[in-house]
Amino acid sequence: MEYIAAADTDIGTTKQVNQDSVCVKTAKCRQGRVALIMICDGMGGLSKGELASATVVRSFSDWFEKDIPGEVDNWNWNEISRKTAERLAMLNQKIIEHGRQCELKLGTTCTGMIAFNSEMMTFHVGDTRIYKLSDSLDILTEDHTFVNREIKRGTMTPEEALRDPRRNAITRCIGVADSVSPDITFGKLEYGVNYMLCSDGFRHVLTENEILKELSPSKVRTKKVMQTKLRQLIDTVKKRDERDNISAAIFRAEP
């Protein structure tokens, strides 16, 4: 089995700071393969969003480097899920406390996936997304946003949501509320499928058809091509006057 992954991030055309943080780690051990792919999008309306996103990514990166090697001999998804939720809760309190001490407002989304051999787990807070790209495009996460909540309630249509000035208002994130409840799911990795994670700045001005066409697993198979395609799409997003930071990562498993 082989894991292939690539990522790219860009400050965009108007921001002074890139508040997105990205982590892509894969490792080979005698038990097989393990990977961590995640993106955190610091909340643009809050000060020091880049500190919040970097804090979360750094913590999970350290966990992968220091603790994951001890998990692989007796891998247990229930334990991995519990430790992920506990780490997010700890980071939530850490960021809140730092904000109180420094009189700052900090917050970040957090969306990632952990893979071990042919299985995976996703964890998700906010509006960063995970897509599965095969013959079609499927969204594996649910946006924790005001407009998505209103769509589910039937008080707003998807077309209205695209134009609503509150489309970026997040209802769940890390570092704001006293508690955080991540969405955690489990599944089988599908071989020859591209999993794509992206911040909202990457997807706002791209259609789902464009994403599927440009990142189709039949055409985007190697790390080099992944890297090239991500940069091309980021450049397209910038040309279309997207004002946010822009980040994306691709992950693929081959037998």
Side-chain angles (χ1 to χ4, degrees):
M1 175 183 290
E2 184 72 19
Y3 283 174
I4 306 164
D8 203 347
T9 185
D10 197 287
I11 194 171
T13 60
T14 61
K15 301 280 188 177
Q16 298 300 310
V17 177
N18 190 346
Q19 295 186 318
D20 291 353
S21 294
V22 182
C23 179
V24 174
K25 289 184 176 291
T26 64
K28 183 179 180 180
C29 56
R30 68 174 185 270
Q31 296 83 357
R33 298 278 182 176
V34 61
L36 168 67
I37 316 294
M38 64 185 296
I39 294 179
C40 292
D41 180 354
M43 293 172 60
L46 301 181
S47 55
K48 297 295 182 181
E50 71 277 8
L51 176 59
S53 66
T55 297
V56 176
V57 161
R58 189 179 303 114
S59 177
F60 273 87
S61 177
D62 289 345
W63 179 52
F64 186 89
E65 295 286 345
K66 297 174 183 177
D67 296 345
I68 287 296
E71 303 280 358
V72 293
D73 285 331
N74 297 289
W75 191 270
N76 184 311
W77 281 113
N78 289 330
E79 279 296 295
I80 296 296
S81 171
R82 180 183 64 80
K83 291 177 180 179
T84 296
E86 287 179 351
R87 184 166 294 268
L88 290 173
M90 177 273 292
L91 290 164
N92 187 61
Q93 290 302 316
K94 180 179 181 178
I95 292 170
I96 287 173
E97 183 58 31
H98 180 77
R100 287 171 180 164
Q101 291 177 357
C102 300
E103 297 184 346
L104 295 171
K105 292 182 178 180
L106 300 90
T108 182
T109 70
C110 177
T111 300
M113 79 188 279
I114 297 171
F116 182 64
N117 290 332
S118 61
E119 298 177 324
M120 69 173 187
M121 182 189 88
T122 68
F123 54 99
H124 169 64
V125 180
D127 65 348
T128 300
R129 287 183 180 177
I130 302 177
Y131 292 88
K132 185 181 78 172
L133 304 169
S134 53
D135 293 334
S136 60
L137 179 148
D138 297 295
I139 304 173
L140 303 186
T141 50
E142 180 177 320
D143 294 344
H144 300 144
T145 58
F146 170 81
V147 294
N148 189 54
R149 185 181 66 192
E150 296 308 301
I151 290 171
K152 292 175 66 177
R153 289 176 175 175
T155 62
M156 183 182 293
T157 67
E159 293 73 25
E160 290 172 335
L162 291 173
R163 302 187 300 270
D164 195 286
R166 298 164 293 182
R167 70 174 186 171
N168 294 325
I170 296 175
T171 57
R172 204 187 305 180
C173 68
I174 307 293
V176 176
D178 287 337
S179 63
V180 61
S181 178
D183 293 342
I184 295 179
T185 67
F186 303 92
K188 291 284 187 180
L189 276 177
E190 296 185 33
Y191 295 132
V193 165
N194 286 342
Y195 296 91
M196 193 268 286
L197 289 73
C198 69
S199 61
D200 60 334
F202 181 86
R203 61 178 169 80
H204 273 158
V205 296
L206 295 174
T207 67
E208 292 185 354
N209 285 337
E210 285 177 315
I211 293 173
L212 181 58
K213 178 183 177 182
E214 295 301 322
L215 301 179
S216 166
S218 63
K219 296 189 296 184
V220 181
R221 299 179 178 179
T222 67
K223 182 173 182 176
K224 182 177 180 180
V225 176
M226 288 177 180
Q227 207 77 55
T228 299
K229 283 294 186 179
L230 287 178
R231 178 41 54 177
Q232 289 174 349
L233 284 173
I234 287 173
D235 288 342
T236 296
V237 168
K238 291 168 71 174
K239 289 176 183 177
R240 293 180 182 178
D241 296 326
E242 170 59 49
R243 301 176 65 83
D244 205 351
N245 305 138
I246 310 161
S247 299
I250 305 178
F251 173 73
R252 179 185 180 101
E254 292 284 7

